[in-house]
Every structure is written in C-alpha cells, then in structure tokens.
Amino acid sequence: MEGGGRPSAVQAVLLTASTAITALLYSVYRQKARVARGLQGARKVRLDGDLRALLLEAPGRCVPYAVIEGVVRSVKETLSSQFVENCKGVVQRLTLQEHKMVWNRTTHLWNDYEKIIHQRTNTTPFDLAPAEDSAGVTVRVMKPLEATELSLETVYEKFHPSVQSFTDVIGHYISGERPKGIQETEQMLKVGTALTGVGELVLDNATIKLQPPKQGMPYYLSSLDFDSLLQKQESAVRFWKVLTVIFGFASCTVLLLLLRRQYRQHRERQRLRQLQQEFRQAQERLASAEGGEILKNACVVCLSSTRSCVFLECGHVCSCHECYQALPEPKRCPICRQGITRMVPLYNS
C-alpha cells in the first residue's frame, strides 16, 4: 500500500485486470447459456406430411427456431470432387495453406506458422430429405455458409514439401523464415450425409425453407444428432462457468487483500492519532502543574519522571534513570543521538 492507504499501481492494475477478465468471461458464459437455453426450447419437427400443415397453422407460416434432421439431397446438379472419383457433394471448400518455421527473437526458438494463402468455397442448392422416404417432404437449406457449425468432411489432403537449394537455406536462416511446404485440402458436404439443421423454418409459397434465425440465435448445420449438439453446447456452458467462477474468486481474493491492508493501515493511523493525543494531554497536564516547572525538568522519553541522568560525552540532561535503563543497545542520547560512553546520576537537593 502507498502512503495514505491507497493501493499501489501494481495492485490497482492487478485488480482492474482480474475484474475485466471476469466480466469478459461472464459475458461469454451468458452468451453460451443463452444459446443452450435456445436449443433446449427449439421445436423439433419431423419431415413428414404434417410439416406443411404445421407451418400453415403457425403465425406468419414460420417457426422461429426449429430443429430438423434429414439427409442431404441435391436440387439440381452436384459438385464433383477434383481429386476423388465418384465423390459428389453440395458444398465444396478448397484450401491452400502455407506452413513455415519462423525464428522468435525473444525465445530464440523456431516456431511453426500456418497461413491460408487461398481458399475457395463452391455451393449448389440442396434439400434436407427424410432418410427412409426420398419422396417425402423436403426442406430447402438457405445460406449454408452462414451456419455456425457447418460439418464438412475432408475428402482429400496432401502436403507438398518445398524444395530448397543450399543458398535458399542460408537465406532463410538469415531472414528468420524457413518454408516447409504447401498443404492442399478439399472438404465437402457430400450427398447423403445425415444433417441436423437448427434455424428458422418458413413456408414460402410451396417451398419449405430453413434459414438463419432473426432473433440472433446461432444457425446450425451439423453432422451431430440434436442430443449430441445440445450436450456439446451445455459442456461449453459449464466450461465458461468454471472459468468465470475461478477468475471471479481470484478478483474477490485480490479485493479482500487490498481491503484488509487498507483496514490495517486505517487502524495504524488511528493508533498513531491516539498516541499523539495522549502525548498532547500529558504535555498539557505537565504544563499546568507547578507553573511549568515539572514540564521543564521532565524526562523527554516518558514525560512523567524528572531528569536524573547526565550523558557523557555529549553532556545532555534529558532522561530519568528508568528510561536510561530502557534505551536499546548501543545506548544513544535521545537528543543528539550521540553514543553514551558513561552515565552520571544527577541528584537534586
């Protein structure tokens, strides 16, 4: 603590940082908990003949947050994999990722570094259809790339190592960057994949559409079933809750330590004020007794007994014999702080 009982700069920064982190974690926890509650309250619908009638009866022909499970069916043509034969899908993502080693001047170590240098995503319209009856009711999936969790399967992956000459190696060591190679990846949402969609379900003319919800809730297109998806979100809620509690406890601990030190500082100031008040009261009592003669000859240490010691070599007469005995070793004069080599008793007749 600094003078006046104020916390030091380090303590103030520590308390501010822990409080800010706790507030941030609590905000994330609240968001995750809201998402989990939204999933729990989402309406589960089936891809059957009753779905159209359900939407016709719903306000605005819309279910704001619905869960629907089906398999992927292409509407028109499908996308073919560039590397795997007979692999058809409705979403295709091609990625080129650079891998290299970068020299860290602080730790003096080579660290792995990855960077996406090119990525292209192709889509084609597709529906969710019942797995057991391909001729049943289908739901058109809108804006799949806006889904929070779009489950794409990696169908091709190859690493192309970089070829380096001796001069290239020397140049890379000088520059602090060593390229390792390029990784080529193809991911697809294949036709026939079982998918769980969570979003807004609307009846637009004769087409049933699944689209991103308008209430700010997340839009899901996941290969997990609904129970697994819900369990995953609840696990995330528990994780962020534990983090929030830990950092909240740390913030409370820092705050209590600061308050405890400030309380001790306050008690110490009170004790000093009380001692000063008692000292002034003793001076007033001595000044009023015998016209000030007692105060004139009073011991400068206890202010109650008369002076009865001569300190040598300084020659000061300022203490009674009891206070002289109580002085710590090596004994020094209370007036000039010079070492006392000898004490001579003073007798008043």
Side-chain angles (χ1 to χ4, degrees):
M1 302 289 287
E2 296 178 347
R6 296 178 180 177
S8 65
V10 175
Q11 294 169 340
V13 169
L14 183 61
L15 179 60
T16 303
S18 60
T19 303
I21 293 175
T22 302
L24 178 62
L25 293 175
Y26 180 71
S27 176
V28 175
Y29 160 70
R30 287 280 303 272
Q31 174 65 21
K32 297 292 183 180
R34 187 177 72 89
V35 170
R37 287 195 302 269
L39 278 177
Q40 290 174 349
R43 184 171 182 178
K44 296 188 68 174
V45 297
R46 295 175 57 86
L47 288 171
D48 53 21
D50 297 332
L51 179 58
R52 190 177 300 274
L54 185 149
L55 290 172
L56 286 172
E57 296 176 357
R61 297 185 176 184
C62 169
V63 177
Y65 209 46
V67 179
I68 192 163
E69 296 179 349
V71 295
V72 175
R73 294 279 189 272
S74 60
V75 176
K76 298 179 182 178
E77 56 201 30
T78 58
L79 301 173
S80 299
S81 171
Q82 294 187 4
F83 306 97
V84 182
E85 294 183 1
N86 300 322
C87 183
K88 304 291 185 178
V90 293
V91 178
Q92 179 189 49
R93 179 170 293 163
L94 300 170
T95 305
L96 292 179
Q97 189 174 39
E98 179 186 15
H99 292 259
K100 61 183 178 180
M101 303 288 288
V102 177
W103 177 255
N104 191 317
R105 302 184 185 276
T106 303
T107 61
H108 299 285
L109 295 173
W110 289 96
N111 299 328
D112 289 323
Y113 178 78
E114 300 175 357
K115 179 183 177 181
I116 295 177
I117 57 178
H118 178 73
Q119 188 175 78
R120 185 177 80 249
T121 303
N122 302 318
T123 62
T124 187
F126 68 96
D127 293 339
L128 288 181
E132 63 279 359
D133 183 13
S134 59
V137 176
T138 59
V139 173
R140 180 69 48 84
V141 177
M142 310 300 294
K143 301 179 181 178
L145 298 183
E146 294 185 13
T148 302
E149 184 173 332
L150 178 59
S151 298
L152 299 180
E153 179 183 349
T154 301
V155 297
Y156 176 81
E157 189 173 22
K158 185 176 182 180
F159 184 76
H160 304 276
S162 60
V163 179
Q164 305 175 25
S165 64
F166 180 73
T167 55
D168 292 335
V169 172
I170 296 177
H172 296 329
Y173 272 97
I174 295 175
S175 64
E177 293 187 359
R178 291 189 311 177
K180 296 170 63 178
I182 303 295
Q183 182 173 353
E184 190 174 16
T185 306
E186 182 182 25
Q187 296 173 299
M188 297 190 72
L189 179 59
K190 295 193 294 185
V191 174
T193 302
L195 212 60
T196 300
V198 184
E200 185 182 64
L201 202 62
V202 298
L203 178 61
D204 185 8
N205 296 327
T207 305
I208 302 176
K209 297 180 180 180
L210 180 68
Q211 60 189 19
K214 297 184 177 62
Q215 302 93 339
M217 297 297 291
Y219 181 37
Y220 291 100
L221 292 173
S222 175
S223 59
L224 299 174
D225 60 86
F226 178 70
D227 293 334
S228 299
L229 183 62
L230 180 59
Q231 186 177 2
K232 180 180 178 181
Q233 296 302 320
E234 291 175 344
S235 298
V237 171
R238 287 192 294 269
F239 172 77
W240 288 103
K241 183 177 181 180
V242 170
L243 279 184
T244 303
V245 170
I246 291 174
F247 276 88
F249 179 77
S251 300
C252 292
T253 301
V254 173
L255 180 60
L256 289 176
L257 288 176
L258 293 180
L259 292 177
R260 183 169 174 264
R261 291 183 181 182
Q262 193 167 7
Y263 175 73
R264 286 184 173 181
Q265 197 80 2
H266 176 69
R267 291 290 300 273
E268 183 66 18
R269 291 197 302 269
Q270 281 188 331
R271 190 179 69 84
L272 290 176
R273 284 196 297 266
Q274 185 177 359
L275 290 176
Q276 291 174 354
Q277 184 177 2
E278 292 177 355
F279 180 76
R280 287 194 298 268
Q281 291 175 353
Q283 283 183 326
E284 292 173 358
R285 287 196 301 269
L286 292 173
S288 61
E290 300 182 1
E293 289 296 326
I294 295 180
L295 179 61
K296 181 179 179 181
N297 296 320
C299 169
V300 298
V301 180
C302 64
L303 296 177
S304 58
S305 301
T306 57
R307 305 176 185 183
S308 59
C309 299
V310 180
F311 297 150
L312 300 178
E313 300 294 331
C314 65
H316 283 122
V317 182
C318 58
S319 172
C320 63
H321 188 268
E322 289 79 6
C323 292
Y324 166 75
Q325 294 291 336
L327 290 176
E329 296 291 345
K331 297 184 183 295
R332 295 182 180 274
C333 174
I335 301 299
C336 64
R337 307 304 299 166
Q338 184 176 343
I340 301 174
T341 59
R342 189 160 60 93
M343 186 275 291
V344 178
L346 179 65
Y347 299 100
N348 295 323
S349 59

